[in-house]
Amino acid sequence: MTNNFFNEMREQSVVKATIVSKYFWRWAGIIISTAKKNEQNYGRKQGKIAYIDLFAGPGRYKEGSDSTPLLILRGAIQNQDTRERLVTIFNDKDEENIQSLENAIKSLPGIETLKTEPVIMNQEVGENIVKIFEGMKLIPTLFFVDPFGYKGLSLRLINSVLQNWGCDCIFFFNYNRISMGISNEFVTEHMEALFGKENVEIMRQSLEAVTPNERELFIIETLAQSLKAMGGEYVLPFRFRNENNTRTSHHLIFVSKHFRGYEEMKEVMAKESSTANQGVASFEYSPATERQPLLFGLSTPLDDLGELLLTTFAGKTLSMQEIYERHNVDTPFIKKNYKVILQQLETDGKIIASKHKKGTFGDGVMVTFP
């Protein structure tokens, strides 16, 4: 089944690989920069970072394009800091995939320059791997989980990584298969592992007579709240539509305990969105370009942002940065959107802003709301 997926690199797969690899470099830059500062302050090496992919696949698509593991390794080879610090673990239960991946990695020019050789594993993802991670104190790790369906994907698996400092998780969520699985008693164990036992019961009762769009909203919202309940405070979904843009096929879900990671991934996902309205990204990719309703609160156009800010912060004085940090979580807005709308509110006389250069709105500009 998985081999068929790798026969060609579809547009959606390109976008997925791009999002993961772009975020990896932003995340790695932040972690390594922090480590270097600590090294200067404390005079000792701060250690390594890791990238773990539990469903790594064969490394290349049949037509020759690199999948995510090779994109990460190629970039690491080109960067001295990551050459010295990066630990990579790639796993796949399919022996053919692992052999193909191992050969692809060995053929990468400069792979021998990595201080730590990539670890290749051939295991089924399940209880044993979860227990291993739960019993470890991980170094800062970006954790990518891309199963063919749902087997092996669980809240415990995600939390086993997120419990450690500097660790973020990205996972591919097969919406079609999971949506069908919720009402299928034969896969109850897998659904409970992903959503929690009580949530599965609630979903089964609540999803009997709803529209497809309401069903999707409910399922993704339940997943997000399950992740937040275990400490993954910042959850960001990116939706993939089918070729005809008629229904959702997958979601790429980002989970972090840190606002900085959320902020960086939001910027990455916004740029990879196939559409935007008034500069506000859709956080979805569709081969067709018709804009569809978005998930969660990710549906508010920029026109509404000004009124939201006037209501939320009425009678308060805050900096632009404070406004952005307090308001943007679980919305589609990025920092640029806030600067644009605050300039507009100032021009319209609806707020008072401290002195700043015309045409700009810096992070430290103080804003007084009536």
Side-chain angles (χ1 to χ4, degrees), residues 120-131:
I120 310 294
M121 297 167 53
N122 179 210
Q123 296 186 30
E124 184 169 8
V125 178
E127 182 75 11
N128 289 339
I129 284 184
V130 172
K131 286 183 177 179

Side-chain angles (χ1 to χ4, degrees), residues 143-156:
F143 189 51
F144 183 42
V145 186
D146 186 5
F148 184 81
Y150 43 73
K151 189 174 182 181
L153 183 60
S154 69
L155 292 174
R156 278 184 63 198

Side-chain angles (χ1 to χ4, degrees), residues 169-173 220 223 227 235-237 251-255:
C169 179
I170 306 169
F171 64 93
F172 214 41
F173 182 84
I220 300 301
L223 176 65
L227 291 165
V235 180
L236 191 60
H251 290 273
L252 192 66
I253 310 288
F254 171 77
V255 194

